[in-house]
Amino acid sequence: MEVEMKRVEAALPRVLQLLTEAHTAVAAVKRVSESNVDEATTAVDNAETKIVEKQAKVNRIRGIRNGGTSANGRQTRTVGRTQKYVDEDELEAARLEVLDAKHELKLAKKDLEKANEINGKKIEEYNNWCAKFPQKEEELLQRAREISLCGADYLRKQFLEQNGDMYHAKKAADCCNTLFNPLWLKGKENDVAFVEANIVLLDEFGFSDFKGNFQEQLKAEIPRIIERANNPMVFDWEGFDKSKLFQTRLERRRRRLGEHEVDEDWKKDLGEVATRIWEWWRPIVAEGNKEFPAFKFALRRIALLQVSSCDVERVFSQLKLVRDRCNDNLLEDMLEVRLFALCNGNLKSLLIKAWEFPLVDVDEDDE
């Protein structure tokens, strides 16, 4: 299934800009981890040098230095001039300095090991990020197609196939976007038969009032409704004041995109288009208007058909109540049972109605 990528292509320059900024930030994190490794390596080298210096100090206090090689090849050690009495306190202090230097070396090696571990993770994250978010335009489009294809297949099955859950809702929406859309009706004076063909979509609403003789009445009004849609004196589409909701959406877009990046064309805002379409129909559905009785009746029925998600929202509200009372340690099966009981109310009456026989209470002795 081919997926149109017009909006993706339009947003591609902005996406590339954001990806470039994100790539710079991710690379900066990787550079910081690499810098930490370099600092830890330098600390290890300094600690090793310090040990050598402190050990040399101990040897100097002892008066010991390495010598050359004897004639027979055996290494000899020349003992320099020593003091008669060695300052034991100074020697002990030098030994402690050697131990401290060794301890510093141990800590420096641990820091280096930790820095290498963190750096390895950052490099892996950086490589994964680069693989996940390509920087080239062609690769981005291909990735967008791959992501969109799954959703497109799902939507096709739901909305375009006859056995899809949203197939009839899609047909009903098509009916609203044709028969009851004056912007679509405008210019259809020569295609009345094509407009009349969309009347059968009224069956998708499932109203018995929309069948039979009613559709014939609607067909009789179509030529006059098209004439009204073509009359510029009926409604000033361009001069209509912007709705408050449209102005609010524009203001949000200005804050997000900038003053000069916002397109204020009302035709590109579906909410504003719907508002103006309803204002065009308002005189027709008003009380006392008998010019288009069939369209008036149909519009009133459709306008009262509210699409709501309150059932789903109610389930989430009950879920929050259960979690607040039982915390998050509740098992999934028990959570499902509690939600089922809360969302379905009196289960006893529900089961009686479903199976049409009374439930017999079980005695404790029978248990």
Side-chain angles (χ1 to χ4, degrees), residues 260-279:
H260 302 290
E261 299 294 332
V262 176
D263 190 351
E264 298 187 6
D265 187 2
W266 63 271
K267 295 179 181 179
K268 297 181 180 180
D269 187 274
L270 296 180
E272 184 65 11
V273 171
T275 299
R276 301 194 183 200
I277 289 176
W278 176 249
E279 292 297 330

Side-chain angles (χ1 to χ4, degrees), residues 174-191:
D174 291 340
C175 177
C176 294
N177 197 34
T178 53
L179 286 178
F180 304 105
N181 185 358
L183 296 174
W184 184 84
L185 292 172
K186 186 177 181 180
K188 294 293 191 301
E189 60 274 2
N190 297 326
D191 296 327

